[in-house]
Amino acid sequence: MVTSEDGDANTMCSTLEAVFIHGWHTKHIQAEAGGKREKSTPQKPLPQPVIWSLLKAVTHKHIISELEHPIFVSTGVGPCQAWLRLALNDGLMEGYLKLLLQEQAGLWEYCQPTALLRDAKEGEFLLSFLQRLTSLVFQTLLQVRHLK
């Protein structure tokens, strides 16, 4: 059983987020305020790729409405993080990735030619990795109220 308290699970989620956002065109990147810091330390904006509109193309409608509810997620990046965790919780990540890889027009619009999702070999490798995850049971990786 993999839970949100598992440090390795959180590292895996962060790594999967990095794979999904690798090589995005700069027009799909916005500046978001960084994490909490001491008041004396100036806070620089962090670049955050916004991929929610592409993810919506492959996501079930009831999940879209849940993730777009403003009580749960308050930034453009939040739905993407919540989507990934919910897909793992529900065992849908492999299927979503297959659909996303078939969404070539969307990938061309959002991703540079060198992006991992546009590379056929990398896509196949990622799919085989996700197939291995099916032996794990994910429980409550999604803690949406904390994604901001």
Side-chain angles (χ1 to χ4, degrees):
M1 181 78 62
V2 181
T3 68
S4 58
E5 284 77 37
D6 185 334
D8 291 335
N10 289 320
T11 300
M12 181 195 61
C13 287
S14 295
T15 303
L16 283 173
E17 288 172 23
V19 166
F20 277 98
I21 64 175
H22 177 267
W24 288 86
H25 291 296
T26 55
K27 68 181 180 180
H28 296 290
I29 298 175
Q30 69 183 18
E32 291 273 333
K36 293 182 180 179
R37 299 181 187 184
E38 293 181 26
K39 290 182 182 179
S40 62
T41 307
Q43 194 171 6
K44 295 181 181 179
L46 300 173
Q48 298 290 334
V50 180
I51 62 173
W52 180 232
S53 57
L54 180 60
L55 295 178
K56 284 171 60 172
V58 298
T59 303
H60 296 96
K61 290 181 183 186
H62 70 282
I63 293 175
I64 292 170
S65 68
E66 179 181 338
L67 293 176
E68 288 184 334
H69 197 279
I71 291 174
F72 296 110
V73 183
S74 62
T75 69
V77 178
C80 302
Q81 293 172 329
W83 174 87
L84 186 135
R85 285 156 177 78
L86 190 59
L88 286 171
N89 286 347
D90 294 344
L92 298 172
M93 181 57 71
E94 181 186 352
Y96 282 159
L97 180 61
K98 284 179 184 177
L99 291 172
L100 195 57
L101 293 173
Q102 293 171 1
E103 210 36 62
Q104 286 300 308
L107 291 177
W108 278 89
E109 178 187 339
Y110 285 86
C111 302
Q112 299 173 19
T114 57
L116 291 173
L117 291 179
R118 293 219 9 223
D119 184 299
K121 285 185 180 179
E122 295 295 338
E124 289 300 318
F125 175 78
L126 187 55
L127 279 171
S128 70
F129 170 76
L130 291 174
Q131 287 171 345
R132 292 182 193 125
L133 289 181
T134 58
S135 65
L136 300 174
V137 177
F138 292 92
Q139 183 179 11
T140 65
L141 283 179
L142 180 63
Q143 294 182 349
V144 185
R145 294 181 197 271
H146 302 291
L147 296 175
K148 292 189 177 178

